[in-house]
Amino acid sequence: MKKIPITFRKRMILYNLLIISCVAFTISIYTYSSYKKDVIANETASSVNRLHSLSFRLEIACDEMINIVQNCAGRKSLFLTSIVSGSDARVSKQSEIYAAQVLRDLCAISGYNQYIYKITVYEKDTLFIQAGTSSGNFNDADCLMSMPWFEELLNKDMQEYTLTLKDNPFSINTIANPQLLPLIRPLQYSKKALPSDAWVCLTISPKLFRDALELLPEEKSVCVMTDDQSVVSSMKMEPFSMEEIGSLLDSLTDQTGSLRTRISSLDCVVTWERQPVSGLILCEVLPLERMPLNPRALYATAGLVFLSSIAIGFILSLLFTRYLTRPITRLTDHMEVISSGDFSPNPDIETDDELGVIGRQINRMSSHVSELMESRIRDEQEKMGLEIKILQAQINPHFLYNTLDSIKWIATMQHNSGIVKVVSALSSLLKNMAKGFNEKVTIRQELDFLDSYITIEKVRYMELFDVEITVEDPALYDAGIIKLTLQPLVENSIFSGIEPSGKPGLIQIHISSEDQILYIRIRDNGVGMSEENIARLLTDTSRVTKHYMSGIGLPNVDRRLKLVYGKEYGLRIESQVGVYTCVTVSLPLEHI
């Protein structure tokens, strides 16, 4: 009978359920019996402090509004400093503009200008100015005086500033602001017969209270009510009956306090605070089901959970180690083997669960990678061998042609007296060339080989040029370099730089290293070359001249260096027409 495999995912689910069940059971027993009472007490105290802070902010705002009304009602000089003298008691147009600006400044100075929906100063046949966030209208005073509550608020005691929520008396923007909180006082300095002929009215926007509530934590259920239980603003109060809350607060006489009761069938704690001047009531409802854990109980619970989790986790970890970590360890070990270059498959990682599927895929992948790498290595080796053979075939006949041409000129001009010297140098060159072109030699050996070549060319050109060789560090003489790297570069300096100039020249060879990179610079003071020729020189291998190897030699050297060391190494050419040419060879610094 085929065994049904238990997957890695199923094992994880079972083990996690076991851990969660044990921890949850322990926490439930402890928390149920210890900290419910502490939670209620702490949250109630926090609510009282929160309401007190909110009440303090709102009380400051209301005091500022009352102060504005008192200033407008009691200080004639505030607006009428520029009344036109004479028998006419009307304020000139200029005086009205001045008074309106003073009113706006008075609101702005308070710091609560954005919450003043509109303030109106009215004196029959004399003065009518307005300010606030709402635009004014010529009939605003008539609208105010037509409201049923106007006379009641106007005739209040001068020290009574209880706020009540009234319908918006103005015709503009009643949809966005359907209700306002008005403060009305008669102008004490006016000589009008009736209080309704001279008054100041400031309407407070409920936005003041909405913005204040937004400063509280967003999950709290808070409301602001007037003395007659009209809700000015609220937050998260939808689950609760405002009628029940209003009736409860109406029955309470204390200025501040808290009470545990049921609101809308929920067990709650209600905290409140009344403002003595404005009469506003601030209330917060705390359902017991939303209350967080008490810190002391949390610490004790955390300790119990920690100890029980350690004990349970230790036991379960043994099971996890046995059933889960073994296949994972086998996978990681096999991945390390693959990273070291061994792509042989491992049948032990092919188990009957999801990790086994991964193991089978890894074995397939490593087999494919091994085959691809072997194929790539064979192709690259074949390609490199072919390219090097082609490059060697390009150098040998051309170099021998130049050398034999030199011997011909020596025999003609010197009547055989320099043949021994030239033939000795040529013999040395041929002996080194016969050993192959791709082997690495030391800088010292390469310079010896170059010295034989320079000897032949100096004889040919009758000391037309000099060569200076500078090695910054004697240890660089033992650095490795591919044979026949410097000879084509010096040949290029002779044939392309110094010979066309028609005057004696100097070839400077400077060898240095920096950051484990070997730099060899071959500089001549010949005719130089243009930027266009520099760009073409290392890419165009089709040009072969009858005198020198500049069409093949430099590209040959550059390609050989890149094949052996990588594309980041090779030749770099700098030149200025009529001044100099400098070829820089860069390759890794290694000693052989």
Side-chain angles (χ1 to χ4, degrees):
M1 183 176 179
K2 186 177 180 180
K3 183 179 179 180
I4 300 175
I6 300 178
T7 64
F8 181 83
R9 181 181 179 184
K10 290 180 180 178
R11 289 201 297 269
M12 286 296 298
I13 292 174
L14 291 175
Y15 297 149
N16 286 337
L17 285 176
L18 179 60
I19 295 173
I20 294 172
S21 299
C22 294
V23 174
F25 180 76
T26 306
I27 292 176
S28 299
I29 293 177
Y30 179 82
T31 55
Y32 181 79
S33 59
S34 70
Y35 60 79
K36 186 174 182 179
K37 184 177 179 180
D38 289 336
V39 169
I40 297 174
N42 288 339
E43 282 301 302
T44 301
S46 298
S47 177
V48 170
N49 293 334
R50 192 160 46 245
L51 286 186
H52 182 71
S53 176
L54 176 63
S55 177
F56 180 76
R57 288 195 296 269
L58 293 179
E59 192 170 5
I60 293 176
C62 292
D63 288 344
E64 287 294 334
M65 305 293 185
I66 293 171
N67 184 57
I68 293 174
V69 172
Q70 290 177 340
N71 278 327
C72 293
R75 295 174 56 189
K76 178 178 181 180
S77 61
L78 191 64
F79 304 108
L80 304 179
T81 55
S82 59
I83 295 179
V84 178
S85 61
S87 59
D88 190 358
R90 293 182 179 275
V91 180
S92 67
K93 187 67 176 178
Q94 183 176 2
S95 297
E96 287 187 353
I97 295 173
Y98 169 79
Q101 183 61 46
V102 170
L103 186 62
R104 287 191 293 270
D105 292 343
L106 187 62
C107 295
I109 291 172
S110 71
Y112 295 92
N113 186 49
Q114 59 178 321
Y115 303 117
I116 299 175
Y117 181 81
K118 188 175 294 186
I119 180 171
T120 303
V121 180
Y122 172 81
E123 188 171 11
K124 186 176 181 180
D125 300 326
T126 304
L127 181 66
F128 177 58
I129 56 176
Q130 296 192 96
T133 60
S134 176
S135 57
N137 201 326
F138 68 94
N139 64 346
D140 283 349
D142 295 334
C143 291
L144 274 168
M145 289 186 290
S146 67
M147 300 305 293
W149 42 263
F150 177 80
E151 291 291 338
E152 176 187 353
L153 298 182
L154 182 66
N155 294 321
K156 277 188 175 182
D157 184 85
M158 292 300 294
Q159 301 303 318
E160 184 180 354
Y161 290 94
T162 303
L163 294 176
T164 54
L165 199 61
K166 304 297 182 181
D167 292 336
N168 191 339
F170 305 108
S171 58
I172 298 177
N173 204 16
T174 56
I175 297 177
N177 296 274
Q179 291 186 311
L180 302 170
L181 294 98
L183 287 171
I184 304 176
R185 286 293 179 270
L187 300 183
Q188 300 174 15
Y189 52 80
S190 175
K191 297 179 181 180
K192 299 297 181 181
L194 300 174
S196 59
D197 291 338
W199 44 267
V200 54
C201 177
L202 185 148
T203 52
I204 304 173
S205 171
K207 184 176 184 296
L208 168 64
F209 307 94
R210 291 196 298 269
D211 290 352
L213 293 183
E214 288 179 357
L215 298 176
L216 300 177
E218 60 180 10
E219 73 276 6
K220 300 302 180 183
S221 298
V222 185
C223 68
V224 180
M225 308 172 68
T226 61
D227 192 52
D228 58 0
Q229 282 76 52
S230 298
V231 179
V232 180
S233 183
S234 65
M235 181 176 71
K236 301 290 185 181
M237 295 295 292
E238 294 81 7
F240 310 105
S241 171
M242 297 306 299
E243 289 78 11
E244 292 183 32
I245 295 174
S247 300
L248 176 64
L249 294 176
D250 190 47
S251 64
L252 300 173
T253 58
D254 294 338
Q255 291 294 106
T256 182
S258 61
L259 179 68
R260 182 172 175 180
T261 184
R262 295 189 69 83
I263 302 292
S264 299
S265 302
L266 296 174
D267 194 3
C268 304
V269 173
V270 178
T271 59
W272 75 90
E273 181 167 336
R274 300 176 188 270
Q275 293 189 349
V277 177
S278 66
L280 294 175
I281 305 174
L282 283 69
C283 172
E284 180 174 356
V285 181
L286 302 169
L288 266 62
E289 62 185 22
R290 296 187 193 172
M291 290 186 179
L293 303 178
N294 181 271
R296 289 180 296 176
L298 279 175
Y299 296 149
T301 303
L304 178 61
V305 171
F306 177 78
L307 294 177
S308 60
S309 298
I310 289 293
I312 298 171
F314 177 77
I315 297 173
L316 296 178
S317 295
L318 298 178
L319 298 175
F320 287 162
T321 302
R322 181 178 179 182
Y323 292 105
L324 300 179
T325 60
R326 282 185 179 178
I328 296 175
T329 302
R330 286 195 294 266
L331 281 176
T332 55
D333 292 341
H334 186 60
M335 293 300 293
E336 291 181 0
V337 171
I338 291 176
S339 65
S340 65
D342 183 4
F343 296 97
S344 58
N346 182 4
D348 293 337
I349 65 175
E350 298 183 6
T351 55
D352 295 330
D353 51 24
E354 288 87 348
L355 293 177
V357 174
I358 297 174
R360 284 190 288 272
Q361 296 298 327
I362 290 176
N363 281 337
R364 293 194 189 101
M365 179 191 67
S366 60
S367 297
H368 292 162
V369 171
S370 178
E371 294 172 359
L372 289 174
M373 289 184 64
E374 290 175 359
S375 176
R376 181 65 181 271
I377 291 173
R378 288 194 301 269
D379 293 344
E380 289 296 328
Q381 288 175 344
E382 183 178 356
K383 178 182 176 182
M384 184 179 296
L386 291 174
E387 288 190 339
I388 291 175
K389 288 178 181 179
I390 293 173
L391 295 175
Q392 291 174 353
Q394 290 176 337
I395 294 177
N396 291 340
H398 192 72
F399 177 73
L400 291 175
Y401 170 82
N402 283 334
T403 304
L404 293 174
D405 185 63
S406 298
I407 295 173
K408 181 188 69 173
W409 283 102
I410 292 170
T412 302
M413 294 183 297
Q414 297 187 1
H415 304 288
N416 297 331
S417 61
I419 289 178
V420 175
K421 183 177 181 180
V422 173
V423 169
S424 297
L426 177 59
S427 176
S428 177
L429 288 176
L430 293 176
K431 183 183 300 183
N432 281 280
M433 290 169 61
K435 295 178 182 179
F437 290 87
N438 198 35
E439 68 177 17
K440 294 182 181 179
V441 297
T442 63
I443 292 292
R444 189 186 310 277
Q445 292 171 321
E446 180 71 1
L447 291 177
D448 291 341
F449 176 77
L450 181 62
D451 183 62
S452 298
Y453 172 77
I454 292 173
T455 298
I456 295 173
E457 295 301 336
K458 277 194 171 185
V459 173
R460 175 183 177 185
Y461 286 101
M462 295 182 294
E463 305 294 336
L464 180 64
F465 63 91
D466 288 322
V467 179
E468 292 182 357
I469 299 176
T470 303
V471 181
E472 286 191 353
D473 186 356
L476 296 179
Y477 281 110
D478 296 323
I481 188 172
I482 297 177
K483 184 192 295 186
L484 204 64
T485 295
L486 300 183
Q487 182 274 329
L489 307 182
V490 172
E491 184 179 34
N492 181 74
S493 296
I494 297 171
F495 294 152
S496 298
I498 295 175
E499 182 184 21
S501 69
K503 58 182 181 180
L506 175 63
I507 301 174
Q508 296 174 305
I509 301 175
H510 184 269
I511 302 175
S512 62
S513 65
E514 182 178 351
D515 297 330
Q516 294 301 307
I517 298 177
L518 179 66
Y519 294 101
I520 305 174
R521 296 175 178 84
I522 296 90
R523 177 187 176 100
D524 67 75
N525 57 354
V527 296
M529 64 182 75
S530 64
E531 292 291 335
E532 180 181 354
N533 288 336
I534 292 175
R536 188 171 62 245
L537 185 58
L538 295 180
T539 58
D540 185 5
T541 61
S542 62
R543 300 180 298 116
V544 182
T545 69
K546 64 181 181 179
H547 294 300
Y548 55 89
M549 295 170 59
S550 61
I552 291 178
L554 293 187
N556 183 298
V557 173
D558 186 56
R559 291 179 63 191
R560 284 198 298 151
L561 292 174
K562 284 180 168 54
L563 281 172
V564 175
Y565 297 114
K567 294 183 179 181
E568 64 269 28
Y569 301 103
L571 303 184
R572 186 178 74 252
I573 302 176
E574 302 174 16
S575 184
Q576 183 176 348
V577 177
V579 180
Y580 76 96
T581 297
C582 182
V583 179
T584 302
V585 180
S586 63
L587 62 155
L589 179 60
E590 57 182 2
H591 295 275
I592 60 175

